[in-house]
Amino acid sequence: MKLTFPHARLQMLWNEAILQWPVSVRAMKGRYLPGFWLVGSQGIYLVRNGVKPRGSVVVAYANECDPLKVPVQSWLAIKRAIFGDSDGLEFVEVVMIGTAVDAGADIEVTFEHDTMTVTVVEKGRASVRLQSLRDRDNMMLRKEGSLWTLGSPCSQLAL
């Protein structure tokens, strides 16, 4: 399964992220590193892992899973193929988005059962590729009251 994130959306996301990361970074699996979360919920999108500012948060939807442009049956089938019936979350290294923005390139994210590969695509060719293991059991988002819980009740996110 492959998702595409166009440069224009990545640029808007990057611009907000570099302003917000100095304020705070939300941890994932005990890591307090700037980066991006790839979220499967209402569509699939990238969002920075900083504290939510007042107002709305910039997100970059995948072309294939943008609920504002793609029929619900289509994006929901893709989201379920990647994350199952629950919402999901994966971490994307800051260097991948920064490299794409600097190069004026898109990002492609491909999924296998146990891996996620993020590729910077310049002029139709892969220039940088990073593969990481997926932790499918630990990366589920569940809503508990007004909080979203990541993995276990010990790690809570205010999304």
Side-chain angles (χ1 to χ4, degrees):
M1 185 67 53
K2 178 176 77 171
L3 301 174
T4 308
F5 295 87
H7 174 262
R9 293 181 190 172
L10 297 173
Q11 180 72 60
M12 290 186 300
L13 182 64
W14 180 259
N15 291 345
E16 182 188 58
I18 59 175
L19 293 174
Q20 293 298 320
W21 281 324
V23 175
S24 182
V25 172
R26 292 185 284 181
M28 182 169 177
K29 297 176 85 172
R31 295 174 54 197
Y32 286 91
L33 299 173
F36 297 89
W37 290 331
L38 188 140
V39 179
S41 181
Q42 294 296 313
I44 297 179
Y45 56 89
L46 287 165
V47 63
R48 64 175 171 68
N49 68 338
V51 170
K52 182 179 175 184
R54 291 188 177 127
S56 62
V57 174
V58 173
V59 299
Y61 281 101
N63 286 342
E64 301 80 0
C65 290
D66 184 342
L68 303 174
K69 298 179 180 176
V70 178
V72 68
Q73 314 89 293
S74 298
W75 68 255
L76 189 56
I78 295 169
K79 187 246 170 218
R80 284 182 175 153
I82 295 169
F83 292 107
D85 288 333
S86 299
D87 291 349
L89 184 72
E90 298 284 347
F91 185 77
V92 177
E93 300 286 341
V94 68
V95 67
M96 298 307 289
I97 306 301
T99 300
V101 168
D102 287 347
D106 297 338
I107 291 282
E108 288 181 355
V109 182
T110 54
F111 296 88
E112 299 294 328
H113 179 72
D114 293 330
T115 61
M116 177 180 77
T117 303
V118 180
T119 305
V120 176
V121 180
E122 296 180 70
K123 299 177 185 166
R125 299 188 63 165
S127 63
V128 179
R129 181 173 285 134
L130 179 67
Q131 188 173 60
S132 59
L133 292 175
R134 298 180 68 192
D135 187 358
R136 300 187 100 191
D137 294 333
N138 219 11
M139 301 314 298
M140 300 296 179
L141 282 173
R142 295 180 211 38
K143 189 158 185 158
E144 296 177 359
S146 63
L147 291 177
W148 285 90
T149 302
L150 172 61
S152 70
C154 298
S155 9
Q156 295 182 339
L157 306 174
L159 295 179

